Amino acid sequence: MAKKEGSFTGWLQRVRRTGEYSDVLVRVGSSEFSLHMLPLLNASSYFRELPPTCSCAAESSPDSSSPGIPVVDIADLPGGAEGFAAAADFCYLVKPTFTVQNVAQIRAVADYLGMADLLESTKKFLYVNVFSHWRFSAAFLQQYKRLNSPVDEYIESRCLKVIVVACTKAFSETKYLSAPMPLASSVATGATWQSSPSQALTEIIVRMVSLPDCYVAEVVDSLVEMQINLNLKCRQGRNVRSWLDSVLADECVSDKARCWMVLCLARLLLKGAPTTRPWLELSSQYWCSLLEHMDGLMAVAEESMHDRLVSVKKLLEHRIGASLFEIDEYLHVYKFGPETLLALVLHFIKEGDSNDEALEEVADEVDGFIWNYAESIAVSTDVLVALIKAFPAQSRRSHDTLYGAIEKLLNKNSGYSQEEKQSLWRLIDRSKLSPSEYERALSNPGFLCQPHILESVLQQHSDELAKVPDGDGRNLRHIMQKVINASLKLLEENSRRSMEILELQKQYAALLGGKICPARDSCYNSPDLFRKDALGGVHSFIVGVGEETEEASSEASDTHTISAL
């Protein structure tokens, strides 16, 4: 507020506005200020310490708008011209108008120019309007732009301390977690949601993770160092997962904030977890929920955030995987990706309680995951094979789920090579398929064309034929048709493999510039396809059946068909 014109203060403020009797020109960046040395010397140690020759050297500067007076050029002044204008007004007894937008600039200028009284004024404003509540501190940091001044550290450290103290209090006072509960709409209030008991914690932690990365990192590090965490009752509560889902989906407004939220809670949990098993403290829902969300956020995280998530995710996988049999819920209720599930399984096999009961139960859960992956075509061949082979063969009593998953995966995705298909089918143990599933599998060409499956089918039909009473021509024809179909499949698969080998031989010869060696007796020379005695047995079996049929059957058409084979 301006003083009366007749007073000394009023006159001082007038000459500040008009620039009358100016005896020094202060240049800050592209801005110039026509001022008076007496008020500046009175308020600023910077101007009192200026060498007498400093001003005179610039006296004849042609760029000066006030020739003949000294020029003080303050290059790169923190706070800039806007901050200096307020500081200059203060020298002329004009009380500055502080706001959260300009207080840092004014304080930076006051610090640089050595204006102790102005520093004290800015301090009072900051403690009342910024440092007095965590919401004010968070809002200030959200818009703060660093000035490359000691003021940065002064303001940021105090704001962060306020936020850390508030977070600590919110974590300690939260006794129960839940997502907001819906209410019937109220005409009077218009409210449709009831706040949860954890609303205070939710608000402060969401505001904190929404700050710029440099500030969030400092707050999280401070909380981890202080070993702050949700109390055990909250972590063990049945609502912890719904609370976390609600916070991430409805409260956090960006993927970056979601990443920081999960990262913060996971680091706090890992820091406070027991050093020996059981690590999960019966709160596996909280552990698994954090890993579930972290797994989903990996795909959208920026590179710097991705690196942070990876290191923490590995720790969660280790702790959860080693205690996989101890979790208090079904594993399949969580949406783990294939690679994450594989990491959990490998930790379980290596470090967990791997007795037969535990292996069988976990393997059954993993098979359910594999079925879901096949439904959405969300798994690679290598990971699928690794998930199945991770368990000992005796861990699975039935392969029905695995067969259905592989069949579904191959039907939905036509991009698999023949070799990849065969590598998947070889994972199925036919002896662990139920009778109905085995009969269905035999109608699947991909499954049936495996050499060991064809051999077993032929042997099965041979056993059936041996039990047929003499003279039962109709049943004999039915079994013989099965034998013929299976034999044709066997020969067709062998022929296909032989052609592949011949093609490889041609390519190899072309590389060497030589001649190829013909694939003689390719049916017998094909590597890892059939045993020679198996093919010989098939041939003898068919011929033998034909001879027996010629003697036993009185129907000329049947005898002709079998003899021709």
Side-chain angles (χ1 to χ4, degrees):
M1 179 179 295
K3 299 292 183 180
K4 293 182 179 180
E5 285 293 330
S7 66
F8 173 74
T9 302
W11 176 84
L12 200 62
Q13 293 174 359
R14 179 175 63 81
V15 297
R16 163 70 181 101
R17 290 195 306 271
T18 63
E20 296 177 73
Y21 315 115
S22 172
D23 58 0
V24 65
L25 181 70
V26 180
R27 183 180 295 138
V28 179
S30 60
S31 301
E32 294 182 345
F33 299 85
S34 297
L35 302 173
H36 307 80
M37 283 300 294
L38 182 60
L40 297 179
L41 293 171
N42 179 63
S44 168
S45 62
Y46 174 87
F47 285 96
R48 289 195 295 270
E49 295 170 1
L50 280 178
T53 56
C54 179
S55 320
C56 299
E59 197 168 325
S60 59
S61 173
D63 297 331
S64 174
S65 59
S66 302
I69 65 172
V71 175
V72 178
D73 196 344
I74 309 178
D76 301 322
L77 176 66
E82 182 181 351
F84 181 80
D89 287 344
F90 187 81
C91 295
Y92 288 81
L93 305 182
V94 177
K95 187 177 181 180
T97 303
F98 295 122
T99 66
V100 292
Q101 287 76 30
N102 69 13
V103 67
Q105 295 173 304
I106 298 174
R107 184 174 180 84
V109 171
D111 180 74
Y112 187 89
L113 298 181
M115 301 174 66
D117 292 340
L118 183 56
L119 280 173
E120 185 64 25
S121 296
T122 58
K123 177 182 176 181
K124 291 178 180 178
F125 179 88
L126 287 169
Y127 270 91
V128 171
N129 297 279
V130 178
F131 304 150
S132 59
H133 196 279
W134 70 263
R135 289 192 184 91
F136 301 156
S137 295
F140 186 88
L141 291 179
Q142 193 71 55
Q143 54 85 41
Y144 185 63
K145 295 181 180 179
R146 287 181 170 175
L147 303 171
N148 296 320
S149 163
V151 171
D152 294 336
E153 194 277 334
Y154 175 86
I155 293 179
E156 291 173 344
S157 63
R158 283 160 177 77
C159 284
L160 293 175
K161 183 178 180 180
V162 171
I163 294 172
V164 168
V165 170
C167 285
T168 303
K169 182 180 179 182
F171 272 107
S172 63
E173 292 181 351
T174 301
K175 307 300 182 185
Y176 178 72
L177 290 177
S178 70
M181 303 294 291
L183 291 175
S185 297
S186 170
V187 177
T189 64
T192 57
W193 292 88
Q194 178 184 16
S195 62
S196 72
S198 54
Q199 186 60 38
L201 173 65
T202 301
E203 181 187 4
I204 187 170
I205 198 170
V206 167
R207 289 287 296 275
M208 184 268 289
V209 298
S210 300
L211 293 173
D213 289 351
C214 58
Y215 302 137
V216 185
E218 287 194 42
V219 173
V220 173
D221 289 343
S222 298
L223 293 175
V224 172
E225 186 177 350
M226 296 166 63
Q227 297 191 16
I228 304 302
N229 200 359
L230 286 173
N231 66 54
L232 187 60
K233 184 177 180 180
C234 286
R235 298 198 299 273
Q236 293 179 348
R238 305 302 298 177
N239 295 318
V240 65
R241 189 183 183 196
S242 62
W243 171 77
L244 186 59
D245 291 345
S246 173
V247 170
L248 294 174
D250 303 328
E251 304 291 341
C252 295
V253 296
S254 67
D255 288 331
K256 181 187 76 69
R258 296 183 185 96
C259 290
W260 273 118
M261 173 69 75
V262 174
L263 189 65
C264 173
L265 295 175
R267 287 187 59 191
L268 296 178
L269 179 62
L270 288 165
K271 180 70 174 181
T275 56
T276 57
R277 294 180 59 229
W279 291 310
L280 305 191
E281 310 169 307
L282 301 178
S283 55
S284 60
Q285 185 180 138
Y286 186 43
W287 285 82
C288 293
S289 295
L290 287 171
L291 180 59
E292 175 186 38
H293 286 291
M294 189 171 291
D295 193 23
L297 289 168
M298 295 288 286
V300 299
E302 298 176 355
E303 184 176 354
S304 59
M305 178 60 70
H306 187 274
D307 294 339
R308 288 189 174 101
L309 291 174
V310 166
S311 59
V312 176
K313 181 171 178 282
K314 288 180 179 179
L315 294 174
L316 286 178
E317 289 171 345
H318 171 229
R319 296 293 184 94
I320 297 173
S323 302
L324 205 57
F325 185 57
E326 301 166 7
I327 66 173
D328 51 358
E329 273 194 320
Y330 289 113
L331 188 62
H332 65 260
V333 302
Y334 300 101
K335 299 176 182 178
F336 296 134
E339 290 79 9
T340 299
L341 180 63
L342 178 59
L344 294 175
V345 169
L346 294 178
H347 283 300
F348 170 68
I349 298 296
K350 182 179 179 180
E351 303 178 44
D353 184 9
S354 302
N355 57 61
D356 291 343
E357 179 187 359
L359 286 169
E360 184 177 333
E361 182 173 329
V362 174
D364 186 60
E365 292 265 18
V366 170
D367 289 352
F369 271 97
I370 292 174
W371 176 274
N372 294 332
Y373 295 152
E375 183 74 30
S376 58
I377 323 179
V379 62
S380 66
T381 304
D382 293 341
V383 174
L384 181 60
V385 171
L387 280 172
I388 297 175
K389 287 187 174 181
F391 295 90
Q394 67 272 17
S395 301
R396 292 183 172 92
R397 294 184 180 181
S398 171
H399 276 206
D400 286 5
T401 302
L402 288 182
Y403 172 80
I406 293 175
E407 182 181 48
K408 183 182 295 290
L409 183 67
L410 295 179
N411 288 339
K412 283 179 168 287
N413 187 357
S414 59
Y416 288 103
S417 67
Q418 192 65 28
E419 204 57 44
E420 288 177 319
K421 292 179 181 179
Q422 287 303 305
S423 69
L424 292 176
W425 285 126
R426 282 194 291 270
L427 298 172
I428 304 301
D429 185 347
R430 63 180 181 83
S431 65
K432 293 187 176 182
L433 292 175
S434 64
S436 60
E437 197 71 8
Y438 183 61
E439 284 297 320
R440 192 168 72 86
L442 291 181
S443 64
N444 187 318
F447 180 80
L448 184 59
C449 71
Q450 299 177 88
H452 69 284
I453 298 297
L454 287 170
E455 288 182 40
S456 67
V457 171
L458 290 173
Q459 185 60 49
Q460 176 186 347
H461 293 334
S462 175
D463 295 341
E464 291 178 2
L465 188 60
K467 298 177 183 179
V468 174
D470 294 340
D472 192 351
R474 178 173 299 177
N475 197 22
L476 182 62
R477 287 195 301 273
H478 175 69
I479 295 176
M480 279 307 304
Q481 188 61 48
K482 291 183 178 181
V483 173
I484 293 170
N485 291 339
S487 301
L488 290 176
K489 284 285 185 183
L490 183 66
L491 295 174
E492 178 185 351
E493 174 65 13
N494 185 68
S495 175
R496 183 186 65 78
R497 296 290 183 91
S498 299
M499 292 175 65
E500 290 178 358
I501 293 173
L502 183 59
E503 181 62 29
L504 290 173
Q505 288 177 334
K506 290 180 180 179
Q507 295 176 9
Y508 180 70
L511 289 173
L512 298 179
K515 296 181 179 180
I516 65 171
C517 178
R520 296 170 51 197
D521 299 325
S522 59
C523 289
Y524 289 87
N525 292 330
S526 299
D528 300 328
L529 296 179
F530 310 103
R531 299 188 302 273
K532 295 181 181 180
D533 57 341
L535 281 176
V538 172
H539 175 71
S540 301
F541 170 68
I542 297 175
V543 173
V545 170
E547 292 174 352
E548 292 178 7
T549 308
E550 287 177 351
E551 295 176 1
S553 177
S554 60
E555 296 180 28
S557 59
D558 295 340
T559 304
H560 176 71
T561 301
I562 298 172
S563 299
L565 176 63

